[in-house]
Amino acid sequence: MGRRSRGRRLQQQQRPEDAEDGAEGGGKRGEAGWEGGYPEIVKENKLFEHYYQELKIVPEGEWGQFMDALREPLPATLRITGYKRYPEELAWHTNLSRKILRKSPHLEKFHQFLVSETESGNISRQEAVSMIPPLLLNVRPHHKILDMCAAPGSKTTQLIEMLHADMNVPFPEGFVIANDVDNKRCYLLVHQAKRLSSPCIMVVNHDASSIPRLQIDVDGRKEILFYDRILCDVPCSGDGTMRKNIDVWKKWTTLNSLQLHGLQLRIATRGAEQLAEGGRMVYSTCSLNPIEDEAVIASLLEKSEGALELADVSNELPGLKWMPGITQWKVMTKDGQWFTDWDAVPHSRHTQIRPTMFPPKDPEKLQAMHLERCLRILPHHQNTGGFFVAVLVKKSSMPWNKRQPKGKSAETRESTQLSPADLTEGKPTDPSKLESPSFTGTGDTEIAHATEDLENNGSKKDGVCGPPPSKKMKLFGFKEDPFVFIPEDDPLFPPIEKFYALDPSFPRMNLLTRTTEGKKRQLYMVSKELRNVLLNNSEKMKVINTGIKVWCRNNSGEEFDCAFRLAQEGIYTLYPFINSRIITVSMEDVKILLTQENPFFRKLSSETYSQAKDLAKGSIVLKYEPDSANPDALQCPIVLCGWRGKASIRTFVPKNERLHYLRMMGLEVLGEKKKEGVILTNESAASTGQPDNDVTEGQRAGEPNSPDAEEANSPDVTAGCDPAGVHPPR
């Protein structure tokens, strides 16, 4: 580092005097302003142009438009979370680039709005073409979904939204298992998924090409888990992302595609094996290269021997402009040498070029594949990035899976009541054996029976789903805490049930915690289907995260009737089962509760006070119901977690979520006075008088040890926020 520092100082000393900011030959920061003073990257790659002109993936006469579009910055796009409250017009597009949105002082407030709303899960900033694969999966709330290469998670959040299409159903029958091979990226995936507060998402950490075959318990017997929908968005060379990843211009070479082809085919093959008959798998890349696109699909179709077929989805996304898949292509080495078929490849190139990279020789077989049903999106057609999508439907079991029990069709399946199961253990299937032509194989029925024989070994506690033993699997990254389901006879639950008057239909068996010893500080909730998956597969898979937080232990919980308070993260899932401690509030009450730290009862409406005065101290639900007779009022329901103190009420809501609700009520947030715990809005700034110091008043009112005072005075807690709600459960 010392040598580098000396070199930089020497360069600064030798810098010409006239090379000041904004001067000719200098950084030009003054002229560029907020755009920065970095030299423009040359967006040229002759090999790239030669390669794609030769393959003719761009229609004749459009090459200039294609290249011009690639050199333009990618416009920013966002998607509004569909299941939360907005019925239509969910995707929005602006011609501004991400850089302009981030750096322009004129757009500072808009950028802050985007960041805040993204954090609270109400919008997702996602590239337009990236939204296509989940849409083509045609997801229904009962579908079991596998996202094989899920990080960073924008497509995963789309899948979760589709599961929750009916907001009146807190626990859809379906679920999403989101996988990624990179342990660190899995935590990014957790962060994305947590924004949507769904009990139907599980994040796992595996190599997608050998992701374990899971089991579930169906009416007391073990069955292999086949997925109704699989998203196979594989790692790729990414030359369709040149508009936002400028480095691709100088780094692009055909070698990237040649090296990735084998991995892409293995991942797609593994996905096809785990797809239910009648199910749908979407294969997608952000590459335009047929070696990563049509070659993978053609090879997969060929080895499936009719078990898979390409679906015609030309009418499923009206308005989308796309080019049909190509049926003839060539392979080029990194030094520019072309090969039209495998026979022409010299032996010395066999490790780099494989026979699966070429189109099938048999014209009839090639025609039967219908590769023209693949979709290739070109950047200049609708001002997007480049993308490739293929939709596959499974007609029968893969030829190497002998005696596979016929999976229920994704569209005609009957609901099955799942019951809790004992823990099982087994080893992941070796994909290399499955792909071998000489492999005779063991049927899935036999696999299920073999793993059943390993049950009840007596070494595990009931309901504890710990991390798998390191001797059985090579695991990297952080060691995860176990997932421990709350036993039926646990004395922890009856006080909670009584305090909140929980409905008898509440699925208490789906409650879990992340510790086997000591006090349980957080309680999480999963759907019964994910509970089934967890209990039957904890030895096979590395689970990074699942469930949503529904209760947190109070700092002084034993002083109250219930040791656990409600968590805002899971309130929309929990609310339908709560029959007590609900206070209906007006819109004016919501404004006060979200902008002041601990407002006294006298600041709230008389209706709110009359409901709160007879309640014991402790956690409460604050519910706003829209008034249809008043069109000027907010027309969507709001459910907030709160705390009823001795003489005041406070909310436990994360900051960005509070800002979201205030915006919806037409209040512009101007700033925050942390000492007073007050959020300044355009209304409060216009009003006269200084806001009361409610924390001090609350203490004078005789509640020095209440959570109101304790947590408000904590240096780590933002006023009015849920202090435990900003971290993923561990």
Side-chain angles (χ1 to χ4, degrees):
M1 292 297 292
R3 187 179 300 169
R4 291 181 182 175
S5 298
R6 285 195 298 272
R8 283 196 294 269
R9 285 199 299 270
L10 188 61
Q11 288 174 357
Q12 290 169 0
Q13 290 168 6
Q14 295 172 346
R15 189 180 180 194
E17 291 182 4
D18 61 342
E20 298 295 329
D21 288 347
E24 191 67 32
K28 296 190 178 179
R29 190 175 297 275
E31 290 179 12
W34 48 266
E35 291 182 357
Y38 300 104
E40 188 71 25
I41 293 177
V42 179
K43 298 178 180 179
E44 295 285 348
N45 189 309
K46 296 299 180 186
L47 190 64
F48 172 87
E49 294 191 44
H50 169 64
Y51 182 72
Y52 281 115
Q53 279 181 314
E54 187 72 22
L55 291 178
K56 296 181 171 57
I57 66 160
V58 178
E60 195 172 343
E62 296 183 17
W63 181 259
Q65 300 170 44
F66 171 74
M67 291 303 298
D68 288 344
L70 282 179
R71 293 186 179 104
E72 288 295 318
L74 187 70
T77 49
L78 60 92
R79 192 186 73 255
I80 297 171
T81 301
Y83 78 91
K84 284 203 167 183
R85 39 189 83 82
Y86 307 94
E88 53 190 28
E89 294 185 332
L90 300 183
W92 292 77
H93 161 107
T94 170
N95 286 324
L96 300 171
S97 70
R98 293 187 303 166
K99 178 181 175 182
I100 292 175
L101 278 177
R102 194 166 55 246
K103 299 292 185 181
S104 171
H106 306 293
L107 298 171
E108 183 180 1
K109 285 186 178 180
F110 181 55
H111 182 250
Q112 289 174 352
F113 161 78
L114 292 178
V115 171
S116 173
E117 294 296 328
T118 300
E119 280 298 311
S120 59
N122 295 303
I123 67 172
S124 293
R125 298 161 77 183
Q126 181 181 1
E127 190 178 344
V129 289
S130 175
M131 303 177 194
I132 295 171
L135 292 173
L136 290 176
L137 273 177
N138 196 21
V139 168
R140 297 289 180 263
H142 64 267
H143 283 157
K144 304 178 190 72
I145 307 164
L146 172 64
D147 190 349
M148 300 188 76
C149 309
S154 56
K155 298 180 185 69
T156 308
T157 57
Q158 256 185 292
L159 298 173
I160 297 171
E161 291 171 27
M162 294 170 180
L163 281 182
H164 290 273
D166 185 354
M167 277 200 68
N168 296 319
V169 180
F171 294 100
E173 289 182 48
F175 56 78
V176 177
I177 295 180
N179 173 71
D180 202 85
V181 68
D182 189 315
N183 184 262
K184 290 182 180 178
R185 282 166 63 88
C186 282
Y187 292 94
L188 178 61
L189 183 55
V190 169
H191 175 73
Q192 284 273 46
K194 282 291 168 190
R195 298 182 304 118
L196 298 187
S197 302
S198 170
C200 305
I201 171 71
M202 178 189 292
V203 176
V204 299
N205 181 201
H206 288 280
D207 178 354
S209 64
S210 58
I211 191 167
R213 188 189 297 270
L214 305 183
Q215 292 182 343
I216 52 175
D217 186 283
V218 180
D219 294 332
R221 70 180 186 278
K222 300 293 183 296
E223 285 193 3
I224 301 296
L225 172 59
F226 290 102
Y227 299 94
D228 301 306
R229 297 288 186 267
I230 293 180
L231 178 56
C232 190
D233 186 51
V234 296
C236 65
S237 62
D239 58 18
T241 68
M242 283 179 157
R243 299 182 68 178
K244 64 176 182 179
N245 297 325
I246 304 176
D247 280 353
V248 178
W249 281 98
K250 60 181 179 181
K251 293 180 179 178
W252 186 92
T253 169
T254 55
L255 185 61
N256 297 335
S257 298
L258 300 178
Q259 291 174 336
L260 285 166
H261 170 87
L263 174 63
Q264 293 163 338
L265 181 55
R266 289 196 301 275
I267 293 174
T269 302
R270 190 60 177 156
E273 289 170 0
Q274 302 212 14
L275 186 64
E277 290 181 31
R280 178 178 279 207
M281 180 173 89
V282 169
Y283 175 89
S284 63
T285 74
C286 47
S287 169
L288 301 173
N289 199 325
I291 307 302
E292 302 177 65
D293 300 340
E294 285 93 346
V296 173
I297 295 299
S299 180
L300 183 60
L301 290 171
E302 190 168 16
K303 69 161 65 177
S304 76
E305 298 177 7
L308 299 172
E309 72 173 33
L310 276 169
D312 183 359
V313 293
S314 55
N315 296 321
E316 292 192 15
L317 291 178
L320 177 68
K321 294 180 182 178
W322 50 274
M323 296 299 297
I326 61 177
T327 56
Q328 293 297 328
W329 60 90
K330 299 182 289 184
V331 178
M332 188 178 81
T333 62
K334 65 175 181 178
D335 51 9
Q337 187 178 1
W338 289 96
F339 296 102
T340 54
D341 60 57
W342 169 248
D343 297 334
V345 180
H347 188 74
S348 60
R349 299 277 192 181
H350 281 189
T351 55
Q352 185 185 92
I353 299 175
R354 304 301 302 154
T356 53
M357 297 177 180
F358 296 92
K361 286 185 177 180
D362 186 346
E364 290 186 6
K365 185 183 290 186
L366 182 62
Q367 187 177 1
M369 288 181 178
H370 294 292
L371 291 178
E372 71 279 356
R373 292 179 178 175
C374 300
L375 314 182
R376 179 175 275 104
I377 291 98
L378 299 178
H380 64 291
H381 282 165
Q382 288 182 299
N383 196 16
T384 63
F387 212 72
F388 175 86
V389 190
V391 182
L392 295 153
V393 175
K394 192 171 184 179
K395 294 298 183 181
S396 61
S397 62
M398 301 299 278
W400 54 87
N401 286 344
K402 293 191 175 182
R403 300 181 299 281
Q404 177 173 314
K406 199 165 186 179
K408 293 177 185 177
S409 167
E411 303 301 332
T412 60
R413 103 197 211 307
E414 297 175 3
S415 297
T416 310
Q417 184 66 34
L418 303 177
S419 57
D422 296 327
L423 297 174
T424 65
E425 64 179 0
K427 294 183 179 179
T429 309
D430 185 350
S432 62
K433 291 181 180 178
L434 292 176
E435 292 175 27
S436 171
S438 60
F439 176 63
T440 54
T442 304
D444 289 344
T445 310
E446 282 78 358
I447 293 173
H449 289 311
T451 46
E452 253 185 297
D453 294 337
L454 295 172
E455 289 179 8
N456 302 319
N457 56 11
S459 62
K460 296 287 180 185
K461 297 178 183 178
D462 288 342
V464 179
C465 307
S470 57
K471 288 183 181 179
K472 289 188 176 292
M473 298 177 64
K474 292 181 181 178
L475 298 177
F476 303 93
F478 301 104
K479 181 181 178 182
E480 290 299 322
D481 295 325
F483 296 83
V484 186
F485 285 97
I486 307 296
E488 281 194 76
D489 56 352
D490 195 312
L492 172 145
F493 186 71
I496 297 175
E497 185 177 35
K498 180 181 178 182
F499 190 71
Y500 296 102
L502 294 180
D503 193 85
S505 64
F506 177 74
R508 59 182 293 178
M509 292 292 288
N510 300 347
L511 280 177
L512 62 85
T513 184
R514 298 297 301 272
T515 180
T516 53
E517 300 174 355
K519 280 188 175 181
K520 300 174 178 66
R521 303 208 62 82
Q522 322 271 0
L523 298 183
Y524 305 93
M525 176 74 77
V526 295
S527 65
K528 74 177 192 301
E529 288 77 16
L530 275 187
R531 180 183 191 274
N532 194 338
V533 173
L534 263 176
L535 287 173
N536 284 284
N537 301 280
S538 66
E539 299 291 319
K540 291 183 176 184
M541 60 181 184
K542 182 178 180 182
V543 180
I544 300 296
N545 196 282
T546 190
I548 54 169
K549 187 192 306 174
V550 288
W551 279 292
C552 308
R553 185 179 288 275
N554 298 319
N555 292 340
S556 308
E558 284 69 22
E559 296 179 14
F560 308 103
D561 294 336
C562 178
F564 287 85
R565 67 173 177 84
L566 298 163
Q568 183 67 26
E569 180 183 322
I571 190 60
Y572 283 95
T573 298
L574 206 55
Y575 175 74
F577 301 100
I578 298 175
N579 293 313
S580 177
R581 304 194 63 79
I582 300 173
I583 297 177
T584 303
V585 293
S586 67
M587 194 167 89
E588 290 304 314
D589 289 333
V590 174
K591 291 179 183 178
I592 292 170
L593 289 164
L594 292 177
T595 54
Q596 299 186 26
E597 176 67 27
N598 284 325
F600 279 135
F601 291 154
R602 60 180 169 78
K603 291 189 176 182
L604 303 173
S605 65
S606 57
E607 292 83 1
T608 298
Y609 172 70
S610 63
Q611 298 173 73
K613 63 177 179 154
D614 296 327
L615 289 178
K617 289 205 303 183
S619 189
I620 55 173
V621 178
L622 300 162
K623 177 69 185 289
Y624 166 75
E625 288 285 1
D627 181 7
S628 56
N630 181 10
D632 295 331
L634 182 63
Q635 291 300 308
C636 75
I638 295 177
V639 182
L640 305 174
C641 291
W643 183 271
R644 196 273 194 210
K646 188 172 183 180
S648 63
I649 291 177
R650 74 169 292 168
T651 55
F652 286 107
V653 181
K655 179 180 176 180
N656 287 319
E657 198 164 335
R658 284 187 295 138
L659 297 180
H660 168 73
Y661 290 130
L662 290 172
R663 287 190 193 101
M664 290 178 65
M665 291 182 287
L667 297 183
E668 181 184 356
V669 178
L670 305 177
E672 185 171 7
K673 289 189 177 181
K674 291 191 176 180
K675 287 186 179 179
E676 285 94 354
V678 173
I679 293 180
L680 296 178
T681 64
N682 50 345
E683 280 190 5
S684 60
S687 63
T688 56
Q690 193 162 351
D692 298 327
N693 188 330
D694 291 310
V695 176
T696 307
E697 291 184 18
Q699 290 171 344
R700 284 202 303 267
E703 39 181 334
N705 296 320
S706 72
D708 309 47
E710 284 181 12
E711 300 196 36
N713 293 327
S714 170
D716 298 326
V717 178
T718 303
C721 292
D722 183 347
V726 293
H727 300 294
R730 292 297 304 263

